[in-house]
């Protein structure tokens, strides 16, 4: 093989490697679905259609979800939201198990507590709806979420989700 052909073949191989590397870098990042259950709604209804709802979350993203909602005159809902993913972990750091009550009866009590703060997710509420019961309490809530910001473990997160009075689903 001539020197020109060897150089040409090496250049072609280098070019194909570079194109493959660029194509791999342009592939979208992997996204993961996260599901959490909502409980203990706390609702503040304020003037001019503003409603703030806070919910305790358990599941994939345990913590506190706060929805800052603005109900428009036509009934549509917009606003912003934040989820602080933080919780108390009572498991034994050495074993990963939480001692049962039976294990501690008659023995020195072992209590483990680690405060875990994974970070915060937040963004805008792109659409939603609110329904109130006859007594004025919040009966139903739906909100379409855009993830615009994240911190700590969630730094750089972006995606979408939905929230109701019963659950939270995020994809990022």
């Amino acid at each position: 093989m001539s020197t020109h052909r060897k150089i040409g073949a090496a250049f072609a191989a280098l070019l194909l490697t570079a194109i493959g590397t660029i194509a791999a870098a342009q592939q979208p990042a992997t996204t993961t679905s996260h599901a959490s259950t909502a409980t203990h709604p706390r609702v503040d209804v304020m003037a001019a259609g503003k409603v703030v709802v806070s919910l305790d979350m358990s599941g994939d993203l345990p913590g506190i979800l706060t929805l800052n909602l603005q109900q428009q005159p036509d009934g549509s809902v917009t606003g912003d939201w934040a989820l602080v993913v933080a919780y108390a972990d009572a498991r034994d750091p050495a074993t990963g198990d939480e001692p049962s009550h039976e294990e501690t009866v008659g023995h020195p009590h072992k209590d483990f507590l680690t405060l875990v703060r994974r970070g915060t997710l937040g963004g805008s509420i792109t659409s939603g709806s609110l329904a109130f019961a006859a007594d004025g309490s919040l009966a139903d809530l739906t909100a379409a979420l855009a993830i615009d910001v994240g911190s700590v473990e969630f730094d750089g997160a972006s995606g979408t989700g939905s929230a109701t009075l019963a659950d939270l689903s995020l994809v990022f």
Side-chain angles (χ1 to χ4, degrees), residues 3 9 56 89 126 143 170:
T3 303
D56 295 339
D89 185 354
T126 57
L170 298 175

Side-chain angles (χ1 to χ4, degrees), residues 99-122:
S100 69
H101 177 70
E102 290 78 27
E103 292 175 16
T104 60
V105 173
H107 301 284
H109 182 67
K110 291 184 178 178
D111 199 11
F112 303 99
L113 182 64
T114 303
L115 300 177
V116 179
R117 183 178 187 280
R118 293 178 54 195
T120 302
L121 290 159

Side-chain angles (χ1 to χ4, degrees), residues 26-31:
Q26 292 176 343
Q27 294 296 316
T30 314
T31 58

Side-chain angles (χ1 to χ4, degrees), residues 4-32:
H4 286 19
R5 284 189 181 178
K6 287 181 185 176
I7 292 172
F11 179 73
L14 181 62
L15 183 60
L16 289 173
T17 301
I19 290 170
T21 302
I22 291 169
Q26 292 176 343
Q27 294 296 316
T30 314
T31 58
T32 304

Side-chain angles (χ1 to χ4, degrees), residues 2 7 15 19 67 69 75 80 90 97 105 120 123 130 139 146 150 160 163-164:
S2 73
I7 292 172
L15 183 60
I19 290 170
L67 303 159
L69 306 159
D80 52 35
D97 296 327
V105 173
T120 302
L130 295 168
T160 60
T164 69

Side-chain angles (χ1 to χ4, degrees), residues 34-56:
H34 302 272
S36 295
T37 301
T39 58
H40 304 103
R42 293 166 300 283
V43 181
D44 289 313
V45 178
M46 300 176 199
K50 185 172 182 176
V51 178
V52 178
V53 179
S54 294
L55 300 155
D56 295 339

